[in-house]
Amino acid sequence: MWVASQSFHMRPVHRIEYPENLEKIMKPSDFPALDVFICTADPYKEPPINVVNTALSVMAYDYPTEKVSVYVSDDGGSALTLFAFMEAAKFASHWLPFCREKNIMVRSPEVYFSTSNHSWCSETEKIKALYESMKSRVEHVVETGNVSDEYVNGDEEREAFSKWTDGFTRQDHPTVIQVF
């Protein structure tokens, strides 16, 4: 085994990446569609805020926005996960342009705000406050176990949550499809 591995040590391969040349090679219209599927089943075993951070980081990829689709499948049919993604959709309207404008490489908001190796400015503070507000609302809903009326804004959200009735269980529930 030692003899077989020595050839790699005698002639190592060094690669250099040039990401700035990628734009010269491919135009945005040449990029293939990026479809990401996120599956979850239990909001207590897989906290919705973690699933939301995953989806937000995928949506913030440096990729043509019209080519990125994120699909979330919640097999447990949880209103908590739906609420988390409704909140994430509102936050994404601020987070995604911020990532593109500042050329942020760490695109998960949780990770970005927990590290201190980035520049702080008033806009960063504003985005962090929006994220913390979203996170606290989602965590409060998960702690209480239901989405109260104080968090539901508008008829469209009210209609989406009206599907959760007394007969709605994790094992037996109708299909709920929501597009954000």
Side-chain angles (χ1 to χ4, degrees):
M1 208 168 168
W2 177 84
V3 171
S5 67
Q6 289 307 303
S7 63
F8 297 109
H9 296 288
M10 291 179 197
R11 203 155 161 92
V13 175
H14 300 283
R15 293 186 172 96
I16 300 173
E17 299 165 353
Y18 299 98
E20 65 274 3
N21 291 342
L22 184 61
E23 289 180 8
K24 296 175 188 173
I25 297 170
M26 290 181 79
K27 300 182 297 267
S29 60
D30 295 337
F31 283 85
L34 176 64
D35 295 326
V36 178
F37 295 89
I38 300 172
C39 298
T40 183
D42 186 348
Y44 298 103
K45 291 180 182 175
E46 302 163 313
I49 196 67
N50 292 351
V51 181
V52 161
N53 276 306
T54 301
L56 286 169
S57 64
V58 168
M59 290 188 296
Y61 280 165
D62 187 16
Y63 207 80
T65 55
E66 66 277 359
K67 300 274 186 161
V68 177
S69 298
V70 178
Y71 302 94
V72 178
S73 172
D74 180 14
D75 294 338
S78 173
L80 309 178
T81 304
L82 177 63
F83 174 77
F85 275 92
M86 284 181 168
E87 291 294 308
K90 295 172 194 170
F91 175 69
S93 66
H94 302 283
W95 175 247
L96 302 179
F98 176 76
C99 287
R100 287 184 178 82
E101 178 184 311
K102 303 285 186 189
N103 198 24
I104 294 173
M105 291 296 127
V106 178
R107 295 193 168 105
S108 170
E110 183 72 30
V111 176
Y112 180 75
F113 293 124
S114 66
T115 61
S116 60
N117 58 350
H118 47 76
S119 63
W120 287 96
C121 64
S122 63
E123 188 178 9
T124 305
E125 289 295 329
K126 177 185 156 200
I127 298 293
K128 182 177 182 179
L130 289 170
Y131 175 71
E132 292 298 330
S133 174
M134 176 200 69
K135 182 179 175 182
S136 69
R137 284 191 304 276
V138 169
E139 288 175 346
H140 181 264
V141 164
V142 172
E143 284 173 15
T144 60
N146 69 342
V147 181
S148 63
D149 287 337
E150 69 183 85
Y151 291 119
V152 179
N153 304 321
D155 293 334
E156 187 177 325
E157 290 181 11
R158 202 170 322 288
E159 183 181 330
F161 288 113
S162 69
K163 295 176 178 132
W164 276 265
T165 59
D166 292 336
F168 197 105
T169 65
R170 288 183 60 207
Q171 293 79 18
D172 184 24
H173 57 81
T175 302
V176 178
I177 298 174
Q178 191 71 35
V179 178
F180 300 115

